[in-house]
Amino acid sequence: CAEAGFAAGKLRARLDFYDISDGNKVADGEAQLTPSWQPLPWRLTWFAGAYLREADREDPRYWSPSHTYGVAFAGVQRHWSFDNAELSATLRRGFALTSSAGDSWSGGLSGRIWLRPNLALGVEGFVVDAPRPGSYRLHQLGAYLQRLL
């Protein structure tokens, strides 16, 4: 994972390679640009980028597209900070770049409250609708306890 800031904005990129125990290899990467020019109201921040995933071969036990799966995306996010809490919201729309992908959308909300200077309680929720090429929907809700050492 790498991040670089420059006059036009901030670029964040990551590339992951997985060598699966069954002999398959999966590559997964994303690049996102958050421009310096942010004209949206209410301190909404917009961003855009691309996501790609490919595998040597498909396996029904895990997502392993043998034909490159690629989407371009655009989204907005907002972050709020309070004396002892934080809240973030993200909404993202994807557009198919390859025949194995489909148009998609996702949204997320996360929050954290600091119980003590080194202890926080957090919650995260995400919704995803991303054809791969079949229907794929994810609803996730999680909670965590964070302790700083």
Side-chain angles (χ1 to χ4, degrees), residues 3-12 32-38 46:
E3 191 170 299
F6 48 98
K10 181 172 58 172
L11 180 63
R12 182 182 59 81
Q32 177 178 309
L33 175 65
T34 304
S36 297
W37 181 65
Q38 294 291 331
W46 74 280

Side-chain angles (χ1 to χ4, degrees), residues 4-124:
F6 48 98
K10 181 172 58 172
L11 180 63
R12 182 182 59 81
R14 84 173 163 75
L15 186 57
D16 296 312
F17 294 100
Y18 302 98
D19 191 358
I20 312 297
S21 61
D22 64 5
N24 201 4
K25 291 179 178 30
V26 177
D28 186 89
E30 181 174 295
Q32 177 178 309
L33 175 65
T34 304
S36 297
W37 181 65
Q38 294 291 331
L40 298 177
W42 311 303
R43 293 191 295 180
L44 286 170
T45 301
W46 74 280
F47 58 88
Y51 172 82
L52 299 169
R53 185 175 180 104
E54 186 173 35
D56 285 350
R57 63 179 166 73
E58 290 185 31
D59 190 301
R61 296 173 294 173
Y62 54 91
W63 185 31
S64 48
S66 61
H67 300 290
T68 302
Y69 175 94
V71 293
F73 60 83
V76 293
Q77 57 190 10
R78 175 73 160 89
H79 184 80
W80 296 266
S81 292
F82 308 98
D83 288 341
N84 66 338
E86 302 167 33
L87 181 64
S88 293
T90 303
L91 186 60
R92 182 165 119 166
R93 178 79 165 111
F95 306 93
L97 289 176
T98 63
S99 61
S100 63
D103 291 348
S104 61
W105 67 270
S106 63
L109 189 61
S110 64
R112 177 170 51 184
I113 185 165
W114 291 94
L115 306 172
R116 291 189 293 209
N118 67 339
L119 188 66
L121 181 61
V123 64
E124 297 176 326

